[in-house]
C-alpha cells in the first residue's frame, strides 16, 4: 500500500509539473511596411540598383580638404560619439554575462563555526551518547571547520539561456549600428554647419560691399544737396540706410562666431578659428547624387538595421520569457574537507565530504510575475515592430522629399542668379540717373535694397543646395563607412 501511495503521489507531482509547462503564445503581426516597400522613389525617376551614392565612403564624397579635416577631428573627439561607444561596451558585457550563465559556476569556500544543541533534543541527546573514539565523547559545544569547492549549474534543457544570449547578441549588434547612425548624423551636421559658416562669410562680404556703395551714395547726395539738386531728406535717408547696413554687419559677425563655436562643440574642443576658404563657395558645384532603389535603404541605413536588430532582440526576449513557464533543471555539487577540529581535516578519507543533487522545479501557483514578464516582453516586441516600420517609412519619405528639394533648389538658385544679375545692372543705371538728377533717391535706395536681398538669398540658396546634397547622402545611408 505504501508503494502504491508513493507512486500515486509521484504521478500527481509529475502531472502538475507537466501542467506548469503550458505557456502562452507570442502575438504575431504582419509586417506590411517592409513587404510593400515601393520599387522606386517616384514615378519620374527609375532608380538604378547598381548606382547608389549611399555606398560611397565619406572621404570620397567630400572633396574640401578643410571639411575633411574637421570631420576627422569630430570622429575622434565628439562626446556623443564617445558616449555611444560606451553603450557598445555595456552591450558587449551583457553578451558575456548571458554567455556565462550557460556554464557552471564554481566557487571556493572556507568556513569555521561552532554550535551547541540543547541536551534535551534529539540532536543533543544523540551527541551526548556518541563517542568520537573509544572513551572519547563528542565535544560540546561542537566546532565545524570546512573548505572545498562548490558548483552550481542550470541545465539549459529548453534553450532558454541560449535564447537570452542570442537576444543579448542582437542588442549588441544594434548598438553597433546605432554607433554608425551617430557617425552618419555627425558627419552630416559638421558638413551642414561648415557650409552655413561659408555662407555667412560670403554674406558678410556682400554687406561690406553694400556699405561702401551706401557711403558713395551718401557722398553724392551731399554734393547734390549743395548744388540744390537734392534735399536734406535724401541725405538723411542715405544716412539711415548706411547705419542699418552697418548694424546688419555686426549681426552677421555674431552669427559667424556662434557658428564657429557650434562646429567646435561638435569637434569636442574649446573655441578656436575654423580653417576654411570662402572665396570658392559660390562657384562650388554640388555633387550628383544617385539614389538607387528604395529596398537598398534596408541594407544601407544604420538606423533601419538598428531597428531591425532591436526587433530581433525583442522577439528573442519574448521567446525566453515564454520558456520561463517551463520547469528548470539545476545541478549542485560540493566537494571538500570537513571536521569539528582543524587537526582532523588532514585525516582522509574520513574528513572528505561531498554532495551532489539535481532539482527539477516549475511554478505551479501564483504565476503572475512570470505572466507579467511575458506580457511585457510581448508588448515590447510589438512596439519594436512599429518602431522598425516607422523607421523604414521615414527613411523613404526623407529621400523622396530631398530628391524633390534638390530639383527645386537648383531651379531656385538659377532664377536667383538671373535676378541678382539684373538688379546689379539696375543699380548702375539708377546711380547714373541719380547723378544726372533724372531719378530720385528713393529709386536708388529701392534698387540697392533689392539687390542686397537678392544676393543674400542667392548665397542662402547655394548653402541649401550644398546642404541638401549632404542630407540626401546621409538619408541614403552614407557617411558612416
Amino acid at each position: 500500500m505504501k508503494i502504491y501511495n508513493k507512486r500515486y503521489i509521484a504521478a500527481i507531482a509529475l502531472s502538475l509539473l507537466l501542467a506548469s509547462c503550458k505557456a502562452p503564445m507570442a502575438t504575431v503581426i504582419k509586417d506590411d511596411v517592409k513587404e510593400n516597400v515601393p520599387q522606386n522613389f517616384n514615378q519620374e525617376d527609375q532608380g538604378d540598383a547598381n548606382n547608389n551614392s549611399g555606398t560611397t565612403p565619406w572621404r570620397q564624397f567630400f572633396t574640401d580638404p578643410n571639411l575633411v579635416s574637421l570631420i576627422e577631428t569630430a570622429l575622434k573627439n565628439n562626446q556623443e560619439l564617445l558616449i555611444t561607444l560606451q553603450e557598445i561596451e555595456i552591450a558587449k558585457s551583457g553578451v558575456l554575462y548571458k554567455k556565462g550563465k550557460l556554464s557552471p559556476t564554481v566557487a571556493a569556500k572556507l568556513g569555521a563555526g561552532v554550535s551547541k544543541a540543547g541536551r534535551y533534543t534529539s540532536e543533543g541527546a544523540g551527541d551526548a551518547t556518541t563517542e568520537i573514539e573509544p572513551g572519547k565523547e563528542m565535544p560540546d559545544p561542537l566546532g565545524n571547520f570546512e573548505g572545498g569547492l562548490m558548483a552550481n549549474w542550470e541545465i539549459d534543457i529548453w534553450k532558454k539561456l541560449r535564447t537570452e544570449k542570442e537576444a543579448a547578441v542582437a542588442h549588441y549588434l544594434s548598438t553597433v549600428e546605432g554607433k554608425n547612425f551617430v557617425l552618419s548624423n555627425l558627419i552630416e551636421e559638421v558638413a551642414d554647419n561648415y557650409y552655413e559658416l561659408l555662407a555667412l562669410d560670403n554674406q558678410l562680404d556682400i554687406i561690406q560691399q553694400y556699405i561702401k556703395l551706401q557711403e558713395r551714395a551718401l557722398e553724392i547726395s551731399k554734393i547734390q544737396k549743395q548744388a540744390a539738386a537734392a534735399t536734406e531728406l535724401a541725405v538723411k535717408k542715405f544716412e539711415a540706410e548706411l547705419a542699418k547696413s552697418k548694424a546688419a554687419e555686426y549681426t552677421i559677425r555674431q552669427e559667424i562666431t556662434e557658428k564657429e563655436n557650434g562646429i567646435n562643440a561638435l569637434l569636442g574642443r574649446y573655441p578656436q578659428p575654423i580653417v576654411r576658404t570662402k572665396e570658392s563657395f559660390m562657384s562650388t558645384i554640388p555633387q550628383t547624387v544617385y539614389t538607387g532603389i528604395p529596398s537598398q535603404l534596408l541594407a544601407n541605413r544604420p538606423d533601419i538595421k538598428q531597428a531591425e536588430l532591436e526587433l530581433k532582440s525583442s522577439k528573442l526576449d519574448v521567446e525566453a520569457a515564454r520558456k520561463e513557464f517551463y520547469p528548470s533543471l539545476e545541478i549542485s555539487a560540493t566537494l571538500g574537507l570537513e571536521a569539528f577540529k582543524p587537526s582532523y581535516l588532514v585525516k582522509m578519507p574520513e574528513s572528505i565530504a561531498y554532495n551532489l543533487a539535481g532539482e527539477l522545479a516549475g511554478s505551479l501557483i501564483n504565476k503572475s510575475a512570470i505572466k507579467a514578464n511575458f506580457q511585457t516582453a510581448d508588448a515590447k516586441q510589438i512596439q519594436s515592430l512599429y518602431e522598425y516600420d516607422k523607421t523604414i517609412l521615414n527613411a523613404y519619405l526623407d529621400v523622396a522629399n530631398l530628391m524633390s528639394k534638390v530639383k527645386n533648389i537648383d531651379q531656385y538658385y538659377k532664377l536667383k542668379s538671373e535676378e541678382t544679375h539684373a538688379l546689379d545692372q539696375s543699380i548702375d543705371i539708377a546711380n547714373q540717373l541719380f547723378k544726372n538728377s533724372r531719378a530720385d533717391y528713393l529709386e536708388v535706395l529701392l534698387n540697392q535694397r533689392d539687390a542686397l536681398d537678392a544676393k543674400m538669398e542667392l548665397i542662402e540658396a547655394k548653402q541649401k543646395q550644398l546642404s541638401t546634397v549632404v542630407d540626401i547622402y546621409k538619408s541614403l545611408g552614407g557617411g558612416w563607412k
Side-chain angles (χ1 to χ4, degrees), residues 180-459:
N180 292 337
F181 189 58
V182 171
L183 281 175
S184 184
N185 282 335
L186 177 60
I187 291 173
E188 176 199 33
E189 200 167 355
V190 171
D192 284 346
N193 278 272
Y194 179 74
Y195 291 137
E196 288 173 12
L197 180 59
L198 292 179
L200 288 170
D201 287 338
N202 280 265
Q203 286 182 334
L204 181 61
D205 289 344
I206 293 298
I207 200 72
Q208 289 173 341
Q209 294 172 14
Y210 185 67
I211 287 172
K212 292 179 181 179
L213 186 65
Q214 289 300 115
E215 289 173 342
R216 288 197 297 270
L218 178 59
E219 291 175 2
I220 294 172
S221 66
K222 288 180 178 179
I223 293 172
Q224 287 192 333
K225 178 194 170 188
Q226 293 175 355
T231 63
E232 181 68 15
L233 179 60
V235 174
K236 293 303 180 184
K237 282 290 187 180
F238 280 114
E239 286 179 349
E241 187 69 15
L242 179 61
K244 179 182 177 181
S245 300
K246 288 182 177 181
E249 177 185 1
Y250 287 103
T251 299
I252 295 175
R253 289 185 182 276
Q254 177 61 26
E255 291 177 355
I256 290 174
T257 299
E258 293 177 0
K259 189 59 64 176
E260 282 187 316
N261 289 339
I263 294 175
N264 282 315
L266 291 173
L267 271 55
R269 66 188 189 186
Y270 287 104
Q272 57 184 277
I274 301 298
V275 179
R276 58 195 185 271
T277 304
K278 63 182 179 180
E279 289 77 17
S280 60
F281 176 71
M282 294 304 294
S283 60
T284 302
I285 299 175
Q287 290 198 35
T288 302
V289 178
Y290 302 98
T291 59
I293 57 177
S295 60
Q296 290 177 319
L297 293 175
L298 303 179
N300 291 343
R301 280 190 56 140
D303 57 334
I304 294 180
K305 292 194 285 185
Q306 180 185 20
E308 183 179 15
L309 287 166
E310 283 296 339
L311 175 60
K312 179 181 177 180
S313 177
S314 63
K315 287 182 177 179
L316 290 169
D317 284 337
V318 175
E319 186 178 342
R322 186 172 181 269
K323 291 175 181 178
E324 291 286 351
F325 288 89
Y326 302 155
S328 60
L329 174 61
E330 291 191 6
I331 296 176
S332 59
T334 59
L335 175 64
L337 303 174
E338 187 174 16
F340 65 85
K341 192 175 181 180
S343 59
Y344 286 177
L345 288 173
V346 295
K347 290 188 176 183
M348 291 184 283
E350 290 85 354
S351 62
I352 295 176
Y354 62 85
N355 177 60
L356 179 64
E359 184 180 75
L360 185 65
S363 179
L364 297 177
I365 304 174
N366 191 12
K367 296 183 181 180
S368 57
I370 299 176
K371 290 179 179 177
N373 183 48
F374 173 79
Q375 291 169 356
T376 300
D378 190 40
K380 285 184 177 180
Q381 67 107 1
I382 297 174
Q383 186 182 52
S384 297
L385 176 61
Y386 293 147
E387 287 288 346
Y388 178 54
D389 288 346
K390 183 180 75 172
T391 306
I392 294 174
L393 184 60
N394 288 341
Y396 177 86
L397 293 175
D398 281 347
V399 176
N401 289 338
L402 288 169
M403 285 176 61
S404 175
K405 186 176 181 181
V406 166
K407 293 179 179 179
N408 290 329
I409 200 69
D410 286 346
Q411 293 299 318
Y412 177 82
Y413 180 80
K414 180 181 178 181
L415 293 172
K416 276 295 174 183
S417 297
E418 294 176 1
E419 179 187 3
T420 302
H421 180 68
L423 287 171
D424 281 340
Q425 293 179 331
S426 69
I427 287 177
D428 294 336
I429 296 172
N431 287 337
Q432 190 64 38
L433 292 174
F434 182 64
K435 288 179 183 179
N436 297 326
S437 300
R438 295 178 60 188
D440 60 25
Y441 64 91
L442 288 177
E443 291 178 286
V444 176
L445 282 175
L446 289 174
N447 273 281
Q448 290 176 349
R449 286 178 184 175
D450 290 343
L452 175 65
D453 291 342
K455 289 180 179 180
M456 290 294 196
E457 290 170 357
L458 181 64
I459 293 171

Side-chain angles (χ1 to χ4, degrees), residues 85-219:
L85 292 176
Q86 293 310 305
E87 291 179 358
I88 294 176
E89 293 301 317
I90 293 171
K92 187 186 296 183
S93 299
V95 174
L96 294 176
Y97 172 74
K98 295 297 184 182
K99 183 179 180 181
K101 292 180 70 176
L102 286 167
S103 304
T105 57
V106 180
K109 181 176 75 170
L110 290 174
V114 65
S115 64
K116 183 182 186 309
R119 177 65 182 80
Y120 301 109
T121 63
S122 60
E123 183 181 354
D127 289 346
T129 59
T130 302
E131 292 183 348
I132 298 297
E133 295 177 357
K136 192 171 183 180
E137 296 181 352
M138 180 76 73
D140 188 26
L142 183 66
N144 186 63
F145 300 90
E146 60 181 342
L149 300 175
M150 303 172 58
N152 191 70
W153 187 18
E154 181 180 350
I155 307 300
D156 195 21
I157 54 177
W158 310 112
K159 295 185 178 181
K160 176 176 73 72
L161 300 179
R162 288 184 179 85
T163 302
E164 290 178 349
K165 189 197 78 170
E166 290 173 5
V169 170
H171 177 66
Y172 162 72
L173 294 175
S174 77
T175 61
V176 174
E177 294 300 338
K179 181 264 296 182
N180 292 337
F181 189 58
V182 171
L183 281 175
S184 184
N185 282 335
L186 177 60
I187 291 173
E188 176 199 33
E189 200 167 355
V190 171
D192 284 346
N193 278 272
Y194 179 74
Y195 291 137
E196 288 173 12
L197 180 59
L198 292 179
L200 288 170
D201 287 338
N202 280 265
Q203 286 182 334
L204 181 61
D205 289 344
I206 293 298
I207 200 72
Q208 289 173 341
Q209 294 172 14
Y210 185 67
I211 287 172
K212 292 179 181 179
L213 186 65
Q214 289 300 115
E215 289 173 342
R216 288 197 297 270
L218 178 59
E219 291 175 2

